[in-house]
Amino acid sequence: MNTNYGRCSFESVVRIMKELRRQKRRKDDTKIVYLMISPMLLGFVLFVLYPIFYVLRYALFEYDGIANPLFVGLDNFIRLFTNDPGFWVSVRNSLILTGGKIFLEVPFALILSNLLNRKSWINSFFRTTFFMPTIISSAIVGIVFSILFAGFNGIVNNLLLEVGWIHQAIDWFRYQSSAMLVMIISMIWSNFGVTMVFFIMGLQSIPGELYECAEIDGANKFKQFAHITVPMLAPILQIVLMLAIVDGMRLTDLPLVLTNGMPGGSTEVMMTYIFKYFFSTDSLVATASQYGYASAMSVVTAVIIGALTLVYVRISRNMKEF
């Protein structure tokens, strides 16, 4: 018979029992955690992982959704890189829209956030007003701006005619440059409110003592902005620029409703171009849906966006250290 138990004190037994109960509770908590996240994991598998494998598989096939898939190897990718200039036009347009978000929307939102940072009822009113477009559907924004910039009896044309800036109505969607300009304006209008809120959150976390010390040293508002505000907002700016890149490259609803590729497919962006090959909803694709070719374009698009993101992350690595 083992007599070691007799040598244990009562306090030791109690401590061991408590530890055993604690370990049991941890195991039970782990089971509850897995149970709670299982619906999310199931959704991730069904709606993220499975579509990714589906796209990767059919990128190597010729498939219209009706006939049996025909394995063609890398032919879809060869066609994309050698015989489809329209896709690369859509890539260029996506880059232009992304540049508009970075070089126009972000500075505009930063300036507005500085003007509206102080607590007052008028600033609260304008912050709410500027944020309102972000809760409107992108499709609705596209319809609104197509009416505003309509070539015949459009509100913008009538306004410009009234003030004498133009002498005849402009057909904004007739030329690629003007159609892209309208897309950039509508995109900025519908998204700058979120960027402004990010910057306001960052501004309110900056200690006021820094500005007081700068004023005592004789620094004007511009120097305070350049040497205090911008460096202190560097972590927020890093996130905002990342979101601008991703959102600009995956923009879909707005250009699809606003221009639908007009004129002549010159304003297509990557996502709308792929969409039309997947579902054959436009004269761009004269035949049936081309799932295989659209899947190949999706793979290349994912690589492009991923490469841009990695380059940005590498370049902006030191922004938090300002």
Side-chain angles (χ1 to χ4, degrees), residues 8 11 18 26-27 51 62 74 78 96 106 113-114 120 123 139 157 172 209 216 244 265 289 299 301 322:
C8 294
E11 291 79 4
K18 286 183 178 179
R26 280 200 295 264
K27 291 180 181 179
E62 181 180 327
L74 298 177
I78 294 172
I96 291 174
V106 173
S113 63
N114 276 273
S120 66
N123 284 349
N157 273 334
W172 296 95
E209 292 81 1
I216 293 174
S289 300
V299 172
T301 298
F322 281 3

Side-chain angles (χ1 to χ4, degrees), residues 225-291:
F225 177 79
H227 297 286
I228 298 177
T229 303
V230 174
M232 294 295 290
L233 285 178
I236 299 294
L237 185 60
Q238 186 183 33
I239 296 173
V240 166
L241 291 177
M242 171 70 78
L243 293 176
I245 293 173
V246 175
D247 290 345
M249 295 301 292
R250 66 181 180 86
L251 192 66
T252 309
D253 296 349
L254 183 60
L256 190 63
V257 175
L258 184 57
T259 67
N260 195 26
M262 296 187 300
S266 61
T267 58
E268 294 283 0
V269 296
M270 289 191 297
M271 296 304 173
T272 61
Y273 196 82
I274 295 171
F275 173 84
K276 291 176 180 179
Y277 273 90
F278 259 121
F279 300 102
S280 186
T281 58
D282 192 83
S283 58
L284 176 68
V285 185
T287 60
S289 300
Q290 301 180 33
Y291 291 161

Side-chain angles (χ1 to χ4, degrees), residues 195-222:
T195 308
M196 181 191 69
V197 170
F198 273 111
F199 283 134
I200 290 176
M201 292 168 57
L203 288 171
Q204 292 180 352
S205 66
I206 299 176
E209 292 81 1
L210 295 177
Y211 295 102
E212 294 174 2
C213 293
E215 289 181 359
I216 293 174
D217 291 339
N220 57 30
K221 293 295 183 181
F222 178 77

Side-chain angles (χ1 to χ4, degrees), residues 108-127:
F108 180 55
L110 180 58
I111 293 172
L112 275 180
S113 63
N114 276 273
L115 295 176
L116 302 177
N117 187 35
R118 294 181 179 177
K119 294 182 179 180
S120 66
W121 70 268
I122 190 67
N123 284 349
S124 298
F125 170 78
F126 279 111
R127 284 200 296 262

Side-chain angles (χ1 to χ4, degrees), residues 4-22:
N4 289 334
Y5 293 105
R7 300 174 185 175
C8 294
S9 65
F10 178 75
E11 291 79 4
S12 300
V13 173
V14 172
R15 187 164 54 250
I16 292 172
M17 294 300 295
K18 286 183 178 179
E19 181 62 27
L20 290 174
R21 286 196 296 268
R22 191 179 299 113

